[in-house]
Amino acid sequence: MLQGTLIYGFINSVILMLVALGFSVTFGISGVANFAYGALYVMAGYLTWLGLHSLGLPFWLAAPGAVAITAGVAAMIYWFILLRVRGLVVSEVIATFGVGLAILELFRYLGFIGFEYTLPPLIDASVMIGDTYVDAQRLCIVGAGIVLAAFLWFFTHYTKTGLAFRGIAQDERTSLTLGINADKVAAWSVAFGAGYAALAALVILPLGTIAVNEGYNVLVNALAVCIVGGLGSTVGIIVASFLIGFAQILTATYLETSWMMIVSLVAILAILVIKPSGLFGHQKQLEERI
Amino acid sequence: MRKLTCILAITMLMAGLLLAPTGALAADKVVLGVTTSLNFLEGKEANNSVKMAVEEINKAGGVKVGGKMLPFAIESIDIRDAAPGVPVPEALLGIEKLILEKKPNALVVGPFRSEALLAAMDMLSKHKVPLLGTIAMSPKTEAMVAKNPKYKYVFRVSLDAKYFVGYIAGVMGFMNKEFGFKKVFIMNQDVAWARATAGIMTKIFKGKLKWDVVGHETFPTGASDFAPALMKAKMKGAQVIMPVFDMPQSGILIKQWKAMRIPAVMAGFISPITGPTAWKTFDGKIGGVVNSVFELGSIPSAKYPPSKKFYDAYLAKYGKPIEAGHGPAPAYASVYLLKAAIEKAGSLDPDAIVAALRATDAEGVMGRIKFTKGNQVIYGKDPTKEALGCFFQWTDDGKRVIVYPPAIAEGKIMLPKGMKSAK
């Protein structure tokens, strides 16, 4: 039982990390809290499904296509909507949340409401670890989590665009003086975050079905991890994912499954009381600001 | 004086017209309101079934109202109550909007959530609009109608949690007798009907059936990880897992059950694996699961031809089979019940329609339809005598075989691969 709990706790943590990485990257660089994030995640799932079933494309073509379209849509959201309200935090939140709502409800309106919307697993098998059976797709999720986290580190340390991302994240004005186009980089970061959401969707959604409401759940989970870890901190995201992920599975195993849902909310409340900027947040503490 | 008499006469005529009940006006159609979550599978297919019945009836000349043939017209509104987070008052606003604006003679299908249906009962009494509900499952509506005559406008044409429990008890009794199983783990969604079902079943398991309930977990709507609960079920030696879910994510439970190779029969209700395309959706990983269909007709039975006729007609009309295990068949039946009641009443007066509906005794696509004192359709085990729900089992080659009740059973429950009888 303990072994199973640890295995599933680890997998659950990686799922949370995957879900939150893109949201955190976007916020860390552009300062935009992209509340359309969950909708973009679901959109990637539906687009892949459409590619596979309506266009008859092979998975290796449908999946990258869906990732590219999702990232493109996110870039357009920035260029046509967010650019006009940039810096007005409340307006940014309202605008992104509104766009996300519109995307999700559009899918509902178009009839994406049945149970047939599922994605194929990358590997269709079960593996026994100790005395616990785990489906191979979950192991793929762990692999994808490691690869995407490593790629993010590599990208932000060794590529020009990635370095520009970090420049804007650290000091936008100074970056401007060095010739970095802040708006362009911010648009890239929103698209990059959405691409990460799409990649997460491609490996996580085969575990179940694609449903419109999943968009709201993903947003809540991403927010919880980012708030606890500290908005914009990649290390914070990884640590918070594991804290919340294990806490959720332990709660479900040793208390009641229904309590699992409140773990994220309790974690948010606790962190807001103890350290409002999050575990690895860069924002100043309340007392420092005063 | 003549002028005054003239004014008085016109005033009285206008007042008479305004005060007359809607049904007494010279109507040119009978308006049916479909107030439900239209963008959820059960609502969508129930709405399709209503359209199909209306088309058939209109094609045959319509409804005879006091010597005049009138067509049915459908007015629908999406009240979104099935979506998580949509508050009950929002659903009620949708229902009232349709009642006030479209002046329906009756409503069909109705709310998804029992919470919304129960809250709407007073409004339906106030506006005197009969509702033939086919989705919400709480048995509380029946008790309320039986107790207070003001709620007489609310009918339920589909299965409720009470009758559902009867069917589950029958299936569990069979498994106990056939395989010697007596350890069950209950998993249910955190909504009124599922809670009620799980609650009553727990009592029955512990009492009458003498089963050992080794665990009981409740999942909020939208939950998507069942692994911890499945591990508990395995650890506690459950031989049967009884799921009660109607959310899309519940299909994940079956995938996880299969992937984790939990040695227990899955028998209950999981909405996503009800329809024929579920086999393809879940990559053929649902073999062995015993699942319920709440109304015959939403699954065809060769042993009850009206159910097959309806199922085939739906497939022919829409080019897709019925996927929902709850809603379509009774929605179709409701339109015919209303037609019969209106013709019997000879008017569109709501009280007369209600009185006629209460006296219903008709053969429908889901079996014989008669109502209790609480306006609930009576369910049983023989479709020629009562309405019928059933359980089927997914075979390892992707077929749905009806296994309960015996009157329409096509085969016996088989143990999934790798499971052994306890006998």
Side-chain angles (χ1 to χ4, degrees), chain B residues 8-9 12 15 36 40 55 62 67 77 127 138 180 198-199 203 208-209 225 248 277 287 308 324 330 340 405 416:
Chain B
L8 267 172
M12 283 175 71
T36 193
F40 275 72
E55 274 180 35
I77 190 165
H127 294 294
S138 172
K203 279 183 193 166
K208 197 174 156 190
L209 294 178
D225 194 1
T277 59
K308 190 166 181 342

mmCIF file with all atom_site columns, all heavy atoms in Angstrom, chain B residues 8-9 12 15 36 40 55 62 67 77 127 138 180 198-199 203 208-209 225 248 277 287 308 324 330 340 405 416:
data_model
loop_
_atom_site.group_PDB
_atom_site.id
_atom_site.type_symbol
_atom_site.label_atom_id
_atom_site.label_alt_id
_atom_site.label_comp_id
_atom_site.label_asym_id
_atom_site.label_entity_id
_atom_site.label_seq_id
_atom_site.pdbx_PDB_ins_code
_atom_site.Cartn_x
_atom_site.Cartn_y
_atom_site.Cartn_z
_atom_site.occupancy
_atom_site.B_iso_or_equiv
_atom_site.pdbx_formal_charge
_atom_site.auth_seq_id
_atom_site.auth_comp_id
_atom_site.auth_asym_id
_atom_site.auth_atom_id
_atom_site.pdbx_PDB_model_num
ATOM 1   N N   . LEU B 1 8   ? -67.873 49.304  -21.538 1.00 0.00 ? 8   LEU B N   1
ATOM 2   C CA  . LEU B 1 8   ? -67.909 48.210  -20.554 1.00 0.00 ? 8   LEU B CA  1
ATOM 3   C C   . LEU B 1 8   ? -67.801 46.847  -21.230 1.00 0.00 ? 8   LEU B C   1
ATOM 4   O O   . LEU B 1 8   ? -67.070 45.960  -20.787 1.00 0.00 ? 8   LEU B O   1
ATOM 5   C CB  . LEU B 1 8   ? -69.221 48.265  -19.761 1.00 0.00 ? 8   LEU B CB  1
ATOM 6   C CG  . LEU B 1 8   ? -69.173 49.054  -18.457 1.00 0.00 ? 8   LEU B CG  1
ATOM 7   C CD1 . LEU B 1 8   ? -70.566 49.196  -17.868 1.00 0.00 ? 8   LEU B CD1 1
ATOM 8   C CD2 . LEU B 1 8   ? -68.251 48.357  -17.454 1.00 0.00 ? 8   LEU B CD2 1
ATOM 9   N N   . ALA B 1 9   ? -68.507 46.699  -22.331 1.00 0.00 ? 9   ALA B N   1
ATOM 10  C CA  . ALA B 1 9   ? -68.499 45.417  -23.051 1.00 0.00 ? 9   ALA B CA  1
ATOM 11  C C   . ALA B 1 9   ? -67.093 45.101  -23.574 1.00 0.00 ? 9   ALA B C   1
ATOM 12  O O   . ALA B 1 9   ? -66.596 43.978  -23.430 1.00 0.00 ? 9   ALA B O   1
ATOM 13  C CB  . ALA B 1 9   ? -69.487 45.472  -24.211 1.00 0.00 ? 9   ALA B CB  1
ATOM 14  N N   . MET B 1 12  ? -64.818 44.239  -20.677 1.00 0.00 ? 12  MET B N   1
ATOM 15  C CA  . MET B 1 12  ? -65.069 42.887  -20.161 1.00 0.00 ? 12  MET B CA  1
ATOM 16  C C   . MET B 1 12  ? -64.517 41.815  -21.107 1.00 0.00 ? 12  MET B C   1
ATOM 17  O O   . MET B 1 12  ? -63.974 40.803  -20.679 1.00 0.00 ? 12  MET B O   1
ATOM 18  C CB  . MET B 1 12  ? -66.574 42.673  -19.940 1.00 0.00 ? 12  MET B CB  1
ATOM 19  C CG  . MET B 1 12  ? -67.071 43.354  -18.667 1.00 0.00 ? 12  MET B CG  1
ATOM 20  S SD  . MET B 1 12  ? -68.827 43.253  -18.464 1.00 0.00 ? 12  MET B SD  1
ATOM 21  C CE  . MET B 1 12  ? -69.035 41.546  -18.073 1.00 0.00 ? 12  MET B CE  1
ATOM 22  N N   . ALA B 1 15  ? -60.804 41.824  -20.660 1.00 0.00 ? 15  ALA B N   1
ATOM 23  C CA  . ALA B 1 15  ? -60.465 41.198  -19.376 1.00 0.00 ? 15  ALA B CA  1
ATOM 24  C C   . ALA B 1 15  ? -60.640 39.694  -19.469 1.00 0.00 ? 15  ALA B C   1
ATOM 25  O O   . ALA B 1 15  ? -59.829 38.921  -18.967 1.00 0.00 ? 15  ALA B O   1
ATOM 26  C CB  . ALA B 1 15  ? -61.342 41.767  -18.270 1.00 0.00 ? 15  ALA B CB  1
ATOM 27  N N   . THR B 1 36  ? -33.342 21.642  -20.183 1.00 0.00 ? 36  THR B N   1
ATOM 28  C CA  . THR B 1 36  ? -32.340 20.731  -19.618 1.00 0.00 ? 36  THR B CA  1
ATOM 29  C C   . THR B 1 36  ? -30.933 21.203  -19.984 1.00 0.00 ? 36  THR B C   1
ATOM 30  O O   . THR B 1 36  ? -30.780 22.269  -20.593 1.00 0.00 ? 36  THR B O   1
ATOM 31  C CB  . THR B 1 36  ? -32.595 19.291  -20.113 1.00 0.00 ? 36  THR B CB  1
ATOM 32  O OG1 . THR B 1 36  ? -31.827 18.389  -19.329 1.00 0.00 ? 36  THR B OG1 1
ATOM 33  C CG2 . THR B 1 36  ? -32.243 19.118  -21.584 1.00 0.00 ? 36  THR B CG2 1
ATOM 34  N N   . PHE B 1 40  ? -25.045 18.472  -22.757 1.00 0.00 ? 40  PHE B N   1
ATOM 35  C CA  . PHE B 1 40  ? -24.495 17.262  -22.167 1.00 0.00 ? 40  PHE B CA  1
ATOM 36  C C   . PHE B 1 40  ? -25.131 16.078  -22.897 1.00 0.00 ? 40  PHE B C   1
ATOM 37  O O   . PHE B 1 40  ? -26.231 16.208  -23.431 1.00 0.00 ? 40  PHE B O   1
ATOM 38  C CB  . PHE B 1 40  ? -24.790 17.200  -20.664 1.00 0.00 ? 40  PHE B CB  1
ATOM 39  C CG  . PHE B 1 40  ? -23.779 17.941  -19.857 1.00 0.00 ? 40  PHE B CG  1
ATOM 40  C CD1 . PHE B 1 40  ? -23.751 19.328  -19.882 1.00 0.00 ? 40  PHE B CD1 1
ATOM 41  C CD2 . PHE B 1 40  ? -22.824 17.274  -19.109 1.00 0.00 ? 40  PHE B CD2 1
ATOM 42  C CE1 . PHE B 1 40  ? -22.791 20.031  -19.172 1.00 0.00 ? 40  PHE B CE1 1
ATOM 43  C CE2 . PHE B 1 40  ? -21.867 17.971  -18.392 1.00 0.00 ? 40  PHE B CE2 1
ATOM 44  C CZ  . PHE B 1 40  ? -21.843 19.347  -18.424 1.00 0.00 ? 40  PHE B CZ  1
ATOM 45  N N   . GLU B 1 55  ? -41.816 14.935  -34.599 1.00 0.00 ? 55  GLU B N   1
ATOM 46  C CA  . GLU B 1 55  ? -41.892 14.794  -36.066 1.00 0.00 ? 55  GLU B CA  1
ATOM 47  C C   . GLU B 1 55  ? -42.854 13.684  -36.470 1.00 0.00 ? 55  GLU B C   1
ATOM 48  O O   . GLU B 1 55  ? -43.660 13.836  -37.384 1.00 0.00 ? 55  GLU B O   1
ATOM 49  C CB  . GLU B 1 55  ? -40.499 14.496  -36.629 1.00 0.00 ? 55  GLU B CB  1
ATOM 50  C CG  . GLU B 1 55  ? -39.697 15.770  -36.896 1.00 0.00 ? 55  GLU B CG  1
ATOM 51  C CD  . GLU B 1 55  ? -38.314 15.471  -37.458 1.00 0.00 ? 55  GLU B CD  1
ATOM 52  O OE1 . GLU B 1 55  ? -38.165 14.498  -38.225 1.00 0.00 ? 55  GLU B OE1 1
ATOM 53  O OE2 . GLU B 1 55  ? -37.398 16.206  -37.091 1.00 0.00 ? 55  GLU B OE2 1
ATOM 54  N N   . GLY B 1 62  ? -50.799 15.361  -35.951 1.00 0.00 ? 62  GLY B N   1
ATOM 55  C CA  . GLY B 1 62  ? -50.679 16.173  -34.744 1.00 0.00 ? 62  GLY B CA  1
ATOM 56  C C   . GLY B 1 62  ? -51.493 15.633  -33.574 1.00 0.00 ? 62  GLY B C   1
ATOM 57  O O   . GLY B 1 62  ? -51.772 14.439  -33.492 1.00 0.00 ? 62  GLY B O   1
ATOM 58  N N   . GLY B 1 67  ? -61.379 18.357  -30.750 1.00 0.00 ? 67  GLY B N   1
ATOM 59  C CA  . GLY B 1 67  ? -61.887 18.238  -32.117 1.00 0.00 ? 67  GLY B CA  1
ATOM 60  C C   . GLY B 1 67  ? -61.013 18.884  -33.173 1.00 0.00 ? 67  GLY B C   1
ATOM 61  O O   . GLY B 1 67  ? -61.285 18.788  -34.372 1.00 0.00 ? 67  GLY B O   1
ATOM 62  N N   . ILE B 1 77  ? -34.357 25.260  -24.093 1.00 0.00 ? 77  ILE B N   1
ATOM 63  C CA  . ILE B 1 77  ? -33.405 26.175  -23.456 1.00 0.00 ? 77  ILE B CA  1
ATOM 64  C C   . ILE B 1 77  ? -32.368 25.352  -22.702 1.00 0.00 ? 77  ILE B C   1
ATOM 65  O O   . ILE B 1 77  ? -32.704 24.332  -22.085 1.00 0.00 ? 77  ILE B O   1
ATOM 66  C CB  . ILE B 1 77  ? -34.128 27.178  -22.519 1.00 0.00 ? 77  ILE B CB  1
ATOM 67  C CG1 . ILE B 1 77  ? -33.160 28.274  -22.075 1.00 0.00 ? 77  ILE B CG1 1
ATOM 68  C CG2 . ILE B 1 77  ? -34.733 26.490  -21.301 1.00 0.00 ? 77  ILE B CG2 1
ATOM 69  C CD1 . ILE B 1 77  ? -33.835 29.482  -21.455 1.00 0.00 ? 77  ILE B CD1 1
ATOM 70  N N   . HIS B 1 127 ? -46.797 28.290  -11.841 1.00 0.00 ? 127 HIS B N   1
ATOM 71  C CA  . HIS B 1 127 ? -47.189 28.566  -13.236 1.00 0.00 ? 127 HIS B CA  1
ATOM 72  C C   . HIS B 1 127 ? -48.099 27.484  -13.823 1.00 0.00 ? 127 HIS B C   1
ATOM 73  O O   . HIS B 1 127 ? -48.547 27.608  -14.958 1.00 0.00 ? 127 HIS B O   1
ATOM 74  C CB  . HIS B 1 127 ? -45.927 28.674  -14.108 1.00 0.00 ? 127 HIS B CB  1
ATOM 75  C CG  . HIS B 1 127 ? -45.071 29.856  -13.773 1.00 0.00 ? 127 HIS B CG  1
ATOM 76  N ND1 . HIS B 1 127 ? -45.482 31.156  -13.959 1.00 0.00 ? 127 HIS B ND1 1
ATOM 77  C CD2 . HIS B 1 127 ? -43.825 29.933  -13.249 1.00 0.00 ? 127 HIS B CD2 1
ATOM 78  C CE1 . HIS B 1 127 ? -44.518 31.986  -13.575 1.00 0.00 ? 127 HIS B CE1 1
ATOM 79  N NE2 . HIS B 1 127 ? -43.507 31.268  -13.126 1.00 0.00 ? 127 HIS B NE2 1
ATOM 80  N N   . SER B 1 138 ? -33.460 11.795  -7.956  1.00 0.00 ? 138 SER B N   1
ATOM 81  C CA  . SER B 1 138 ? -33.784 11.702  -6.533  1.00 0.00 ? 138 SER B CA  1
ATOM 82  C C   . SER B 1 138 ? -35.220 11.222  -6.322  1.00 0.00 ? 138 SER B C   1
ATOM 83  O O   . SER B 1 138 ? -36.154 11.748  -6.934  1.00 0.00 ? 138 SER B O   1
ATOM 84  C CB  . SER B 1 138 ? -33.594 13.068  -5.870  1.00 0.00 ? 138 SER B CB  1
ATOM 85  O OG  . SER B 1 138 ? -34.080 12.994  -4.551  1.00 0.00 ? 138 SER B OG  1
ATOM 86  N N   . GLY B 1 180 ? -20.262 -16.590 -4.902  1.00 0.00 ? 180 GLY B N   1
ATOM 87  C CA  . GLY B 1 180 ? -19.963 -16.542 -3.466  1.00 0.00 ? 180 GLY B CA  1
ATOM 88  C C   . GLY B 1 180 ? -19.333 -15.230 -3.012  1.00 0.00 ? 180 GLY B C   1
ATOM 89  O O   . GLY B 1 180 ? -18.735 -15.141 -1.947  1.00 0.00 ? 180 GLY B O   1
ATOM 90  N N   . ALA B 1 198 ? -25.836 5.256   -3.158  1.00 0.00 ? 198 ALA B N   1
ATOM 91  C CA  . ALA B 1 198 ? -24.774 4.625   -2.365  1.00 0.00 ? 198 ALA B CA  1
ATOM 92  C C   . ALA B 1 198 ? -25.223 4.437   -0.916  1.00 0.00 ? 198 ALA B C   1
ATOM 93  O O   . ALA B 1 198 ? -24.948 3.391   -0.308  1.00 0.00 ? 198 ALA B O   1
ATOM 94  C CB  . ALA B 1 198 ? -23.508 5.464   -2.432  1.00 0.00 ? 198 ALA B CB  1
ATOM 95  N N   . GLY B 1 199 ? -25.928 5.431   -0.390  1.00 0.00 ? 199 GLY B N   1
ATOM 96  C CA  . GLY B 1 199 ? -26.389 5.370   1.003   1.00 0.00 ? 199 GLY B CA  1
ATOM 97  C C   . GLY B 1 199 ? -27.366 4.226   1.213   1.00 0.00 ? 199 GLY B C   1
ATOM 98  O O   . GLY B 1 199 ? -27.217 3.423   2.157   1.00 0.00 ? 199 GLY B O   1
ATOM 99  N N   . LYS B 1 203 ? -26.881 0.414   3.283   1.00 0.00 ? 203 LYS B N   1
ATOM 100 C CA  . LYS B 1 203 ? -27.796 -0.170  4.280   1.00 0.00 ? 203 LYS B CA  1
ATOM 101 C C   . LYS B 1 203 ? -28.236 -1.568  3.855   1.00 0.00 ? 203 LYS B C   1
ATOM 102 O O   . LYS B 1 203 ? -28.273 -2.497  4.662   1.00 0.00 ? 203 LYS B O   1
ATOM 103 C CB  . LYS B 1 203 ? -29.038 0.735   4.416   1.00 0.00 ? 203 LYS B CB  1
ATOM 104 C CG  . LYS B 1 203 ? -28.815 1.932   5.318   1.00 0.00 ? 203 LYS B CG  1
ATOM 105 C CD  . LYS B 1 203 ? -30.099 2.711   5.451   1.00 0.00 ? 203 LYS B CD  1
ATOM 106 C CE  . LYS B 1 203 ? -29.827 4.069   6.081   1.00 0.00 ? 203 LYS B CE  1
ATOM 107 N NZ  . LYS B 1 203 ? -30.951 4.980   5.928   1.00 0.00 ? 203 LYS B NZ  1
ATOM 108 N N   . LYS B 1 208 ? -30.052 -6.595  4.581   1.00 0.00 ? 208 LYS B N   1
ATOM 109 C CA  . LYS B 1 208 ? -30.712 -7.689  3.875   1.00 0.00 ? 208 LYS B CA  1
ATOM 110 C C   . LYS B 1 208 ? -29.752 -8.614  3.109   1.00 0.00 ? 208 LYS B C   1
ATOM 111 O O   . LYS B 1 208 ? -29.860 -9.835  3.170   1.00 0.00 ? 208 LYS B O   1
ATOM 112 C CB  . LYS B 1 208 ? -31.701 -7.047  2.892   1.00 0.00 ? 208 LYS B CB  1
ATOM 113 C CG  . LYS B 1 208 ? -32.762 -7.941  2.347   1.00 0.00 ? 208 LYS B CG  1
ATOM 114 C CD  . LYS B 1 208 ? -33.712 -7.073  1.509   1.00 0.00 ? 208 LYS B CD  1
ATOM 115 C CE  . LYS B 1 208 ? -34.442 -7.902  0.484   1.00 0.00 ? 208 LYS B CE  1
ATOM 116 N NZ  . LYS B 1 208 ? -35.159 -7.049  -0.469  1.00 0.00 ? 208 LYS B NZ  1
ATOM 117 N N   . LEU B 1 209 ? -28.790 -8.004  2.391   1.00 0.00 ? 209 LEU B N   1
ATOM 118 C CA  . LEU B 1 209 ? -27.923 -8.837  1.546   1.00 0.00 ? 209 LEU B CA  1
ATOM 119 C C   . LEU B 1 209 ? -26.773 -9.502  2.304   1.00 0.00 ? 209 LEU B C   1
ATOM 120 O O   . LEU B 1 209 ? -26.159 -10.431 1.825   1.00 0.00 ? 209 LEU B O   1
ATOM 121 C CB  . LEU B 1 209 ? -27.353 -7.996  0.395   1.00 0.00 ? 209 LEU B CB  1
ATOM 122 C CG  . LEU B 1 209 ? -28.354 -7.486  -0.650  1.00 0.00 ? 209 LEU B CG  1
ATOM 123 C CD1 . LEU B 1 209 ? -27.640 -6.629  -1.683  1.00 0.00 ? 209 LEU B CD1 1
ATOM 124 C CD2 . LEU B 1 209 ? -29.069 -8.628  -1.346  1.00 0.00 ? 209 LEU B CD2 1
ATOM 125 N N   . ASP B 1 225 ? -8.679  11.198  -10.724 1.00 0.00 ? 225 ASP B N   1
ATOM 126 C CA  . ASP B 1 225 ? -7.711  10.178  -10.331 1.00 0.00 ? 225 ASP B CA  1
ATOM 127 C C   . ASP B 1 225 ? -8.337  9.259   -9.288  1.00 0.00 ? 225 ASP B C   1
ATOM 128 O O   . ASP B 1 225 ? -8.706  9.704   -8.204  1.00 0.00 ? 225 ASP B O   1
ATOM 129 C CB  . ASP B 1 225 ? -6.428  10.821  -9.796  1.00 0.00 ? 225 ASP B CB  1
ATOM 130 C CG  . ASP B 1 225 ? -5.295  9.807   -9.709  1.00 0.00 ? 225 ASP B CG  1
ATOM 131 O OD1 . ASP B 1 225 ? -5.516  8.634   -10.080 1.00 0.00 ? 225 ASP B OD1 1
ATOM 132 O OD2 . ASP B 1 225 ? -4.194  10.173  -9.278  1.00 0.00 ? 225 ASP B OD2 1
ATOM 133 N N   . PRO B 1 248 ? -18.254 12.686  -17.225 1.00 0.00 ? 248 PRO B N   1
ATOM 134 C CA  . PRO B 1 248 ? -17.397 12.153  -18.284 1.00 0.00 ? 248 PRO B CA  1
ATOM 135 C C   . PRO B 1 248 ? -16.088 11.561  -17.761 1.00 0.00 ? 248 PRO B C   1
ATOM 136 O O   . PRO B 1 248 ? -15.603 10.566  -18.283 1.00 0.00 ? 248 PRO B O   1
ATOM 137 C CB  . PRO B 1 248 ? -17.100 13.373  -19.159 1.00 0.00 ? 248 PRO B CB  1
ATOM 138 C CG  . PRO B 1 248 ? -18.166 14.347  -18.858 1.00 0.00 ? 248 PRO B CG  1
ATOM 139 C CD  . PRO B 1 248 ? -18.603 14.089  -17.451 1.00 0.00 ? 248 PRO B CD  1
ATOM 140 N N   . THR B 1 277 ? -20.299 2.895   -28.671 1.00 0.00 ? 277 THR B N   1
ATOM 141 C CA  . THR B 1 277 ? -18.974 3.340   -29.134 1.00 0.00 ? 277 THR B CA  1
ATOM 142 C C   . THR B 1 277 ? -17.938 3.381   -28.004 1.00 0.00 ? 277 THR B C   1
ATOM 143 O O   . THR B 1 277 ? -16.763 3.651   -28.244 1.00 0.00 ? 277 THR B O   1
ATOM 144 C CB  . THR B 1 277 ? -19.014 4.731   -29.805 1.00 0.00 ? 277 THR B CB  1
ATOM 145 O OG1 . THR B 1 277 ? -19.520 5.652   -28.869 1.00 0.00 ? 277 THR B OG1 1
ATOM 146 C CG2 . THR B 1 277 ? -19.851 4.738   -31.057 1.00 0.00 ? 277 THR B CG2 1
ATOM 147 N N   . GLY B 1 287 ? -13.903 -4.700  -21.232 1.00 0.00 ? 287 GLY B N   1
ATOM 148 C CA  . GLY B 1 287 ? -14.432 -6.061  -21.182 1.00 0.00 ? 287 GLY B CA  1
ATOM 149 C C   . GLY B 1 287 ? -14.583 -6.537  -19.744 1.00 0.00 ? 287 GLY B C   1
ATOM 150 O O   . GLY B 1 287 ? -13.690 -6.361  -18.935 1.00 0.00 ? 287 GLY B O   1
ATOM 151 N N   . LYS B 1 308 ? -36.494 -1.991  -29.360 1.00 0.00 ? 308 LYS B N   1
ATOM 152 C CA  . LYS B 1 308 ? -35.598 -2.141  -30.524 1.00 0.00 ? 308 LYS B CA  1
ATOM 153 C C   . LYS B 1 308 ? -36.050 -1.232  -31.670 1.00 0.00 ? 308 LYS B C   1
ATOM 154 O O   . LYS B 1 308 ? -35.223 -0.630  -32.365 1.00 0.00 ? 308 LYS B O   1
ATOM 155 C CB  . LYS B 1 308 ? -35.562 -3.609  -30.963 1.00 0.00 ? 308 LYS B CB  1
ATOM 156 C CG  . LYS B 1 308 ? -34.487 -3.889  -31.990 1.00 0.00 ? 308 LYS B CG  1
ATOM 157 C CD  . LYS B 1 308 ? -34.226 -5.345  -32.177 1.00 0.00 ? 308 LYS B CD  1
ATOM 158 C CE  . LYS B 1 308 ? -33.140 -5.673  -33.175 1.00 0.00 ? 308 LYS B CE  1
ATOM 159 N NZ  . LYS B 1 308 ? -32.714 -4.706  -34.113 1.00 0.00 ? 308 LYS B NZ  1
ATOM 160 N N   . ALA B 1 324 ? -26.255 7.487   -24.581 1.00 0.00 ? 324 ALA B N   1
ATOM 161 C CA  . ALA B 1 324 ? -26.625 7.732   -23.180 1.00 0.00 ? 324 ALA B CA  1
ATOM 162 C C   . ALA B 1 324 ? -27.474 6.585   -22.653 1.00 0.00 ? 324 ALA B C   1
ATOM 163 O O   . ALA B 1 324 ? -28.352 6.087   -23.347 1.00 0.00 ? 324 ALA B O   1
ATOM 164 C CB  . ALA B 1 324 ? -27.388 9.037   -23.073 1.00 0.00 ? 324 ALA B CB  1
ATOM 165 N N   . PRO B 1 330 ? -37.167 7.594   -22.279 1.00 0.00 ? 330 PRO B N   1
ATOM 166 C CA  . PRO B 1 330 ? -38.316 8.234   -21.615 1.00 0.00 ? 330 PRO B CA  1
ATOM 167 C C   . PRO B 1 330 ? -38.681 9.592   -22.217 1.00 0.00 ? 330 PRO B C   1
ATOM 168 O O   . PRO B 1 330 ? -39.843 10.006  -22.151 1.00 0.00 ? 330 PRO B O   1
ATOM 169 C CB  . PRO B 1 330 ? -37.865 8.381   -20.159 1.00 0.00 ? 330 PRO B CB  1
ATOM 170 C CG  . PRO B 1 330 ? -36.399 8.219   -20.167 1.00 0.00 ? 330 PRO B CG  1
ATOM 171 C CD  . PRO B 1 330 ? -36.069 7.352   -21.329 1.00 0.00 ? 330 PRO B CD  1
ATOM 172 N N   . ALA B 1 340 ? -51.367 11.562  -25.635 1.00 0.00 ? 340 ALA B N   1
ATOM 173 C CA  . ALA B 1 340 ? -52.502 10.769  -25.172 1.00 0.00 ? 340 ALA B CA  1
ATOM 174 C C   . ALA B 1 340 ? -53.283 11.509  -24.090 1.00 0.00 ? 340 ALA B C   1
ATOM 175 O O   . ALA B 1 340 ? -54.534 11.517  -24.104 1.00 0.00 ? 340 ALA B O   1
ATOM 176 C CB  . ALA B 1 340 ? -52.015 9.425   -24.651 1.00 0.00 ? 340 ALA B CB  1
ATOM 177 N N   . PRO B 1 405 ? -32.691 -7.646  -15.887 1.00 0.00 ? 405 PRO B N   1
ATOM 178 C CA  . PRO B 1 405 ? -33.390 -8.727  -15.177 1.00 0.00 ? 405 PRO B CA  1
ATOM 179 C C   . PRO B 1 405 ? -33.608 -9.954  -16.064 1.00 0.00 ? 405 PRO B C   1
ATOM 180 O O   . PRO B 1 405 ? -33.494 -9.844  -17.287 1.00 0.00 ? 405 PRO B O   1
ATOM 181 C CB  . PRO B 1 405 ? -34.726 -8.079  -14.795 1.00 0.00 ? 405 PRO B CB  1
ATOM 182 C CG  . PRO B 1 405 ? -34.954 -7.033  -15.809 1.00 0.00 ? 405 PRO B CG  1
ATOM 183 C CD  . PRO B 1 405 ? -33.604 -6.528  -16.206 1.00 0.00 ? 405 PRO B CD  1
ATOM 184 N N   . PRO B 1 416 ? -14.517 -11.416 -15.097 1.00 0.00 ? 416 PRO B N   1
ATOM 185 C CA  . PRO B 1 416 ? -13.466 -10.896 -15.982 1.00 0.00 ? 416 PRO B CA  1
ATOM 186 C C   . PRO B 1 416 ? -12.245 -11.820 -15.953 1.00 0.00 ? 416 PRO B C   1
ATOM 187 O O   . PRO B 1 416 ? -12.051 -12.562 -14.980 1.00 0.00 ? 416 PRO B O   1
ATOM 188 C CB  . PRO B 1 416 ? -13.123 -9.531  -15.370 1.00 0.00 ? 416 PRO B CB  1
ATOM 189 C CG  . PRO B 1 416 ? -14.242 -9.202  -14.466 1.00 0.00 ? 416 PRO B CG  1
ATOM 190 C CD  . PRO B 1 416 ? -14.836 -10.488 -14.017 1.00 0.00 ? 416 PRO B CD  1
#
